[in-house]
Amino acid sequence: MTRAKESRVSMKTSNIERPCVVATIPVGVKPAGVAVDVHDHVFVTNSGVGGVSVINSVTNAVSATLNVGFLPESVATDPQFGVYVANGGNFTVSALDRFHALVATIDIGGSPFHPPPDRMRVAVDHLMGRAYVASRGLGRVSITKISSDPPALSSDFTDVEGPLGLAVDPVSHRVFVTRPDHNKVSVIDATTHEEIGSFSVGQHPTGIAIDSQRRRVYVANSGFKTVSLINMATGGVSAIDVGPSPTGVAVDSHGGVYVTHPDGLVRVIDPNSATVTARIPVGSHPHGLAFEPHSNRVYVANRGDGTVSAIDLADG
C-alpha cells in the first residue's frame, strides 16, 4: 500500500480521516513522558534537564513549567488527587495536587549516581487511589497511596525482574508491566499485589497501553518491528508489524492505536484490521505520547528536538 493511499483510508473505522500535525510546541530538553488531565492540560517530562512542561490543549502553548525531581521520565494524572512524576535521576516521585503545587517527594529507593535512562515509570489507578511505580534498577513495582494526605509510599510492593512500562486496566484493576530485558509482560493483582501471570511478547518491550473497552493490551517491542496485541479475554497474543523500533503506544477513544518510532514517524493501527493504515511525520526521535479527548488530539514528545507534536484526529 502506498503512503498516499494509506492517507486516504486512514482510520475510517474510527471516524478519523488524515490525522496530521497541527502544532509543534517547544518544551524542554529530551521530552519523554506525556499525560493529560481532565482540565485541558498536557504534562510533558523534560528528562534532559528536569521540570515538567504544562501545555494548554486549547491554545497549544506552554502555560507553566513545574519544578519536580532530577531527570523526570514519566508522568501520570488523577482527576481528583493530582499529578505524579517519576524522577529517574534521584529515584523519587513528585506528587503535585490538582493545582500543580508540590505536596510530597516520595523516595522510592535506589542509587542516584549516574543512573542510565529508562529507569522508572508511573501509572495511576483512580478508583483504587494508587500510583504504581516501576523501578527497573530495584526490580520492583512500588505502590503509593495517592488518596492519603500527603501521598505516601505503601509498605507493599511487588518483586518483578526488570520492570519498566506500566498500564492499569480500569475494569479488573490489574497492572500490566513490560519487562524489556526478559521479553515479557507481567500481570499484578490489585488485591494481593502479587504477580499472577505473564505473557511472552516481542523483543525489548517498552511502551504499553490498554483498550479497556475492547479488552486489549498493546505493547511496543522496541527491539524489533512489532506491537504485541494481548487479548485479555482469551489470553492470546498476536503480533502487528509496524516498522522498526516502536517505542511508545497510546489508544484513542475509538480504539485507534498510535505508535512512536525513532525514524520520526507515528504509525497508526486500525483496531479492526490490526494493520498500519497511516504514517504521520512528527519531530525528531518521538518517544512518549498520550491521547487528549477534549481536543481529539494525540500529543507526542519528540525527544530529539525538544518539541511536542499535536496530531489532530478530526476530519482533515
Side-chain angles (χ1 to χ4, degrees), residues 35-59:
V36 303
D37 68 8
V38 296
H39 303 292
D40 302 315
H41 295 129
V42 180
F43 300 88
V44 184
T45 60
N46 299 310
S47 66
V49 291
V52 172
S53 296
V54 184
I55 296 171
N56 184 316
S57 65
V58 177
T59 64

Short mmCIF file of all heavy atoms in Angstrom, two decimals, residues 35-59:
data_model
loop_
_atom_site.label_atom_id
_atom_site.label_comp_id
_atom_site.label_asym_id
_atom_site.label_seq_id
_atom_site.Cartn_x
_atom_site.Cartn_y
_atom_site.Cartn_z
N ALA A 35 1.26 12.90 29.65
CA ALA A 35 -0.02 12.53 30.25
C ALA A 35 -0.96 13.71 30.15
O ALA A 35 -0.52 14.86 30.00
CB ALA A 35 0.16 12.12 31.72
N VAL A 36 -2.26 13.46 30.24
CA VAL A 36 -3.26 14.52 30.16
C VAL A 36 -4.16 14.44 31.39
O VAL A 36 -4.26 13.40 32.05
CB VAL A 36 -4.11 14.42 28.87
CG1 VAL A 36 -3.22 14.44 27.64
CG2 VAL A 36 -4.97 13.16 28.88
N ASP A 37 -4.81 15.58 31.72
CA ASP A 37 -5.80 15.56 32.78
C ASP A 37 -7.17 15.93 32.22
O ASP A 37 -7.35 16.00 30.99
CB ASP A 37 -5.39 16.46 33.96
CG ASP A 37 -5.40 17.95 33.62
OD1 ASP A 37 -5.87 18.33 32.52
OD2 ASP A 37 -4.94 18.74 34.47
N VAL A 38 -8.13 16.16 33.08
CA VAL A 38 -9.49 16.47 32.64
C VAL A 38 -9.73 17.97 32.49
O VAL A 38 -10.85 18.39 32.25
CB VAL A 38 -10.53 15.86 33.61
CG1 VAL A 38 -10.44 14.35 33.62
CG2 VAL A 38 -10.35 16.42 35.03
N HIS A 39 -8.66 18.75 32.61
CA HIS A 39 -8.80 20.21 32.55
C HIS A 39 -8.02 20.80 31.38
O HIS A 39 -7.51 21.93 31.48
CB HIS A 39 -8.32 20.84 33.86
CG HIS A 39 -9.03 20.32 35.08
ND1 HIS A 39 -10.36 20.59 35.32
CD2 HIS A 39 -8.61 19.54 36.11
CE1 HIS A 39 -10.72 20.00 36.46
NE2 HIS A 39 -9.69 19.37 36.94
N ASP A 40 -7.90 20.05 30.30
CA ASP A 40 -7.24 20.52 29.07
C ASP A 40 -5.75 20.77 29.26
O ASP A 40 -5.14 21.58 28.55
CB ASP A 40 -7.91 21.80 28.53
CG ASP A 40 -9.38 21.61 28.24
OD1 ASP A 40 -9.73 20.59 27.63
OD2 ASP A 40 -10.19 22.47 28.63
N HIS A 41 -5.13 20.07 30.20
CA HIS A 41 -3.70 20.17 30.40
C HIS A 41 -2.99 18.94 29.85
O HIS A 41 -3.47 17.81 30.02
CB HIS A 41 -3.36 20.30 31.88
CG HIS A 41 -3.86 21.55 32.52
ND1 HIS A 41 -4.60 21.55 33.69
CD2 HIS A 41 -3.74 22.85 32.16
CE1 HIS A 41 -4.92 22.79 34.01
NE2 HIS A 41 -4.42 23.60 33.10
N VAL A 42 -1.84 19.18 29.22
CA VAL A 42 -0.96 18.11 28.77
C VAL A 42 0.36 18.27 29.51
O VAL A 42 0.97 19.35 29.48
CB VAL A 42 -0.72 18.17 27.25
CG1 VAL A 42 0.19 17.04 26.79
CG2 VAL A 42 -2.04 18.13 26.49
N PHE A 43 0.81 17.22 30.20
CA PHE A 43 2.02 17.27 31.00
C PHE A 43 3.13 16.52 30.28
O PHE A 43 2.93 15.37 29.84
CB PHE A 43 1.78 16.66 32.38
CG PHE A 43 0.69 17.36 33.16
CD1 PHE A 43 -0.63 16.98 33.01
CD2 PHE A 43 1.00 18.40 34.01
CE1 PHE A 43 -1.64 17.62 33.72
CE2 PHE A 43 -0.01 19.06 34.73
CZ PHE A 43 -1.32 18.67 34.57
N VAL A 44 4.30 17.14 30.18
CA VAL A 44 5.43 16.57 29.44
C VAL A 44 6.68 16.62 30.32
O VAL A 44 7.09 17.70 30.76
CB VAL A 44 5.68 17.33 28.13
CG1 VAL A 44 6.80 16.65 27.33
CG2 VAL A 44 4.42 17.42 27.29
N THR A 45 7.28 15.46 30.57
CA THR A 45 8.51 15.44 31.37
C THR A 45 9.71 15.78 30.49
O THR A 45 9.87 15.24 29.40
CB THR A 45 8.74 14.06 32.00
OG1 THR A 45 8.85 13.07 30.96
CG2 THR A 45 7.61 13.69 32.93
N ASN A 46 10.53 16.70 30.96
CA ASN A 46 11.76 17.07 30.26
C ASN A 46 12.92 16.32 30.90
O ASN A 46 13.55 16.79 31.84
CB ASN A 46 11.96 18.59 30.35
CG ASN A 46 10.81 19.35 29.71
OD1 ASN A 46 10.42 19.07 28.58
ND2 ASN A 46 10.24 20.30 30.43
N SER A 47 13.21 15.14 30.37
CA SER A 47 14.12 14.22 31.04
C SER A 47 15.58 14.66 30.95
O SER A 47 16.42 14.14 31.69
CB SER A 47 13.98 12.82 30.44
OG SER A 47 14.39 12.79 29.08
N GLY A 48 15.89 15.62 30.08
CA GLY A 48 17.27 16.03 29.93
C GLY A 48 17.75 16.99 30.99
O GLY A 48 18.92 16.99 31.37
N VAL A 49 16.86 17.84 31.49
CA VAL A 49 17.28 18.84 32.47
C VAL A 49 16.42 18.86 33.71
O VAL A 49 16.85 19.31 34.77
CB VAL A 49 17.27 20.27 31.84
CG1 VAL A 49 18.35 20.41 30.80
CG2 VAL A 49 15.91 20.58 31.24
N GLY A 50 15.21 18.41 33.61
CA GLY A 50 14.28 18.47 34.73
C GLY A 50 13.14 19.40 34.42
O GLY A 50 13.18 20.21 33.50
N GLY A 51 12.09 19.29 35.23
CA GLY A 51 10.90 20.11 35.03
C GLY A 51 9.88 19.42 34.15
O GLY A 51 10.19 18.55 33.33
N VAL A 52 8.63 19.80 34.35
CA VAL A 52 7.51 19.29 33.57
C VAL A 52 6.83 20.47 32.89
O VAL A 52 6.42 21.43 33.55
CB VAL A 52 6.50 18.54 34.45
CG1 VAL A 52 5.24 18.18 33.67
CG2 VAL A 52 7.13 17.29 35.04
N SER A 53 6.76 20.43 31.58
CA SER A 53 6.06 21.47 30.82
C SER A 53 4.57 21.17 30.81
O SER A 53 4.17 20.02 30.59
CB SER A 53 6.58 21.55 29.38
OG SER A 53 7.94 21.93 29.34
N VAL A 54 3.76 22.19 31.05
CA VAL A 54 2.30 22.06 31.02
C VAL A 54 1.79 22.79 29.78
O VAL A 54 1.98 24.00 29.63
CB VAL A 54 1.65 22.65 32.28
CG1 VAL A 54 0.15 22.40 32.25
CG2 VAL A 54 2.27 22.06 33.54
N ILE A 55 1.15 22.05 28.90
CA ILE A 55 0.61 22.61 27.66
C ILE A 55 -0.90 22.75 27.80
O ILE A 55 -1.58 21.83 28.26
CB ILE A 55 0.95 21.69 26.46
CG1 ILE A 55 2.46 21.61 26.25
CG2 ILE A 55 0.25 22.17 25.18
CD1 ILE A 55 2.87 20.56 25.24
N ASN A 56 -1.41 23.89 27.40
CA ASN A 56 -2.85 24.10 27.32
C ASN A 56 -3.32 23.55 25.98
O ASN A 56 -2.92 24.05 24.92
CB ASN A 56 -3.17 25.59 27.43
CG ASN A 56 -4.65 25.88 27.45
OD1 ASN A 56 -5.41 25.32 26.68
ND2 ASN A 56 -5.07 26.79 28.32
N SER A 57 -4.17 22.53 26.00
CA SER A 57 -4.58 21.88 24.76
C SER A 57 -5.55 22.73 23.94
O SER A 57 -5.82 22.41 22.78
CB SER A 57 -5.20 20.51 25.05
OG SER A 57 -6.40 20.64 25.78
N VAL A 58 -6.06 23.80 24.53
CA VAL A 58 -6.92 24.73 23.77
C VAL A 58 -6.07 25.65 22.91
O VAL A 58 -6.36 25.89 21.74
CB VAL A 58 -7.82 25.54 24.72
CG1 VAL A 58 -8.65 26.55 23.94
CG2 VAL A 58 -8.72 24.61 25.52
N THR A 59 -4.98 26.15 23.50
CA THR A 59 -4.12 27.10 22.78
C THR A 59 -2.89 26.45 22.17
O THR A 59 -2.21 27.06 21.35
CB THR A 59 -3.66 28.20 23.74
OG1 THR A 59 -2.85 27.61 24.77
CG2 THR A 59 -4.84 28.91 24.37
#
